[in-house]
Amino acid sequence: MATRHPVTAEQYASACKRRFGTGNPERIHNPVWEWMVREGHYPYRARSDLGLELDLSGNRIQPNPDWCFSRMGMATVTLDDGRRVSIAGEHEDFYSPDFCIYNDVIVRKGDEVEIYGYPKDVFPPTDFHSAIVVAKQIWLIGSLGYPDERGGESTQVLLLDCVSLRVSAAALNGESPGWISEHRSRLLDDGTTIKVTGGTVFRREGDEERSRRNMDVYHLDTTTGTWTKMTDTSSWRQFRFAYDEDHKNYKNYKNYEDYKNARQEMLKWYSGEILEELGYPLELAPELTQEDFDEDEDEEEVLERVHTVLVDGVPVRVIDSYGEVHL
C-alpha cells in the first residue's frame, strides 16, 4: 500500500522520540507520530525502511525511546460520534531498546489522527488496563506499569473526559481488587456498575513483589465511587508450574510423540462444563483474561487450553498458558 504521508529519514530522526505532555491534555502535532499511527510502523521497521541506524543493544528502561503506536495492553473504545480512542499501552518489553509504557491518548476518525500527551503525575504510564464508557467519561481501570511504580494495595482508576480529554484520578472507597492488570471489565445492565473479573494482582511482601490471579468478582458503582467485593476466594490455593528450558518437559518419555499423546490423553479428562453440571456457582468461575491468550488466538482456541476437573469434590482449574501451567 502506498504511503499516504511520506516521512524522510531526517524528519524521523528529528521527531521520533517519545516525550510526556505538558498540559492536561496537550494536543501534540507531530507528523512523524501521526505517520506511525496511519502506517502501522514500529521503530525497528521504520528505521530499517528509512535506512537509519538500528539500536539492537537492549536496555531495561530507556529514558528516550522512539515513539510507537504498535502496542500491547492498549485499550481502545469507539464513541457514539465515531471516534476511536486508543489509550496508553506498552511497546515490546525490557529486552527492546524501544521498550516503553505510554500515557497518551490517540483519537482517530477516518484518516484524521489526533495525539494527546499528559504529564506523568497526571496520567502515569499505564498498560494492560480496561476502558469502559459510562455517560461522558471513560473509566480506565488497572495498570501493570513499571515495577518500581506500582501502587501497592489500591487499584489505579482514572477518568478520561470524552469531550475535553482531560484525565483525573477517581475518588473511590470500598474494597478494591488491588494493583490489578490484564483483567476484564464490562458495564452491567444498570448502566452505572462496572464488573471486574480475572486478571493478575501484584502485591509487595517485604522486599519481594508477588502476583496471583484474581479469582474474585468486583463491582464498581460509578455513581458513588464504591468498590464492592462480590465473592470470597481467599481460601483458594494457586500453583504455578514452569516448563523445563526449551519445553523439554517430555524428557521422561521415550520421545516427543509419546509425550504429546500422553498430554492429549490427560486433557480428555478435563471438562469445562463440569461446574455447571455440579450446580457450582458460575459467578465464581473465572472468566478468560488477556493473559490467557497467545498471539492471534481466538476465544475458542483458548478454551482448548483452559480446563476444569473435579478432584474429591473440589473444582480445579488448569490453564496451559505460554511457558507455564497454572493450577
Side-chain angles (χ1 to χ4, degrees):
M1 181 177 68
T3 302
R4 294 185 292 270
H5 299 271
V7 167
T8 67
E10 292 76 15
Q11 289 172 325
Y12 182 89
S14 66
C16 66
K17 293 301 182 181
R18 182 267 183 97
R19 72 171 178 85
F20 290 103
T22 58
N24 183 12
E26 177 196 356
R27 170 74 162 89
I28 298 177
H29 298 272
N30 187 318
V32 171
W33 293 7
E34 294 171 9
W35 172 75
M36 296 281 280
V37 174
R38 292 188 177 99
E39 300 304 322
H41 273 317
Y42 49 92
Y44 181 90
R45 176 182 166 192
R47 285 185 169 273
S48 179
D49 290 351
L50 293 171
L52 293 170
E53 181 180 357
L54 298 172
D55 181 359
L56 304 178
S57 61
N59 196 351
R60 179 67 180 119
I61 297 178
Q62 183 172 265
N64 198 23
D66 286 8
W67 190 90
C68 180
F69 187 63
S70 175
R71 305 177 187 179
M72 305 178 290
M74 177 171 64
T76 299
V77 299
T78 301
L79 302 180
D80 291 340
D81 59 11
R83 288 179 296 162
R84 295 183 65 202
V85 182
S86 297
I87 305 151
E90 75 170 49
H91 176 65
E92 289 293 358
D93 213 334
F94 64 90
Y95 54 78
S96 169
D98 291 305
F99 167 55
C100 183
I101 302 178
Y102 290 88
N103 70 328
D104 51 15
V105 172
I106 295 90
V107 180
R108 291 168 290 167
K109 189 172 184 179
D111 195 46
E112 296 301 313
V113 175
E114 296 178 358
I115 300 174
Y116 296 87
Y118 301 82
K120 185 178 178 181
D121 60 349
V122 170
F123 187 0
T126 296
D127 55 344
F128 297 101
H129 51 294
S130 60
I132 298 292
V133 180
V134 183
K136 297 296 183 182
Q137 291 180 314
I138 302 174
W139 288 68
L140 308 176
I141 300 174
S143 176
L144 179 57
Y146 295 114
D148 58 353
E149 297 177 1
R150 291 172 187 157
E153 298 300 318
S154 61
T155 301
Q156 176 179 295
V157 180
L158 302 172
L159 303 178
L160 175 62
D161 187 276
C162 294
V163 178
S164 68
L165 298 182
R166 182 179 178 85
V167 171
S168 60
L172 304 177
N173 58 82
E175 188 175 2
S176 74
W179 195 259
I180 193 170
S181 59
E182 298 182 297
H183 53 285
R184 282 193 172 183
S185 297
R186 67 180 180 89
L187 189 64
L188 299 184
D189 292 340
D190 63 9
T192 60
T193 303
I194 299 174
K195 177 183 177 182
V196 175
T197 57
T200 299
V201 176
F202 284 85
R203 58 170 51 93
R204 190 161 293 280
E205 298 178 4
D207 294 333
E208 292 188 10
E209 184 181 64
R210 298 185 179 276
S211 67
R212 74 189 306 269
R213 283 178 174 251
N214 169 47
M215 312 299 281
D216 282 303
V217 177
Y218 293 84
H219 285 181
L220 174 56
D221 186 333
T222 60
T223 61
T224 64
T226 302
W227 281 106
T228 302
K229 186 179 180 182
M230 306 301 294
T231 59
D232 183 8
T233 64
S234 57
S235 64
W236 293 20
R237 303 185 68 186
Q238 296 188 30
F239 302 88
R240 179 182 298 171
F241 304 91
Y243 285 121
D244 292 338
E245 185 178 0
D246 299 324
H247 286 208
K248 292 180 180 178
N249 56 327
Y250 55 88
K251 60 186 178 183
N252 293 325
Y253 295 89
K254 293 180 180 179
N255 52 55
Y256 183 62
E257 286 302 316
D258 283 353
Y259 159 74
K260 281 204 308 182
N261 292 336
R263 184 173 178 277
Q264 288 302 316
E265 189 65 27
M266 176 186 70
L267 293 180
K268 289 179 182 178
W269 292 94
Y270 296 150
S271 170
E273 300 175 355
I274 198 167
L275 287 177
E276 188 172 5
E277 292 175 359
L278 293 171
Y280 198 81
L282 293 180
E283 182 76 359
L284 295 180
E287 299 180 12
L288 295 176
T289 65
Q290 293 182 38
E291 63 183 3
D292 291 328
F293 287 76
D294 286 323
E295 188 176 359
D296 299 327
E297 283 189 313
D298 59 28
E299 189 160 314
E300 184 173 336
E301 291 173 313
V302 174
L303 285 172
E304 294 180 0
R305 298 189 291 105
V306 181
H307 310 279
T308 302
V309 61
L310 195 66
V311 180
D312 291 336
V314 178
V316 178
R317 188 174 190 235
V318 181
I319 307 161
D320 187 355
S321 177
Y322 298 101
E324 300 175 327
V325 174
H326 297 259
L327 186 67

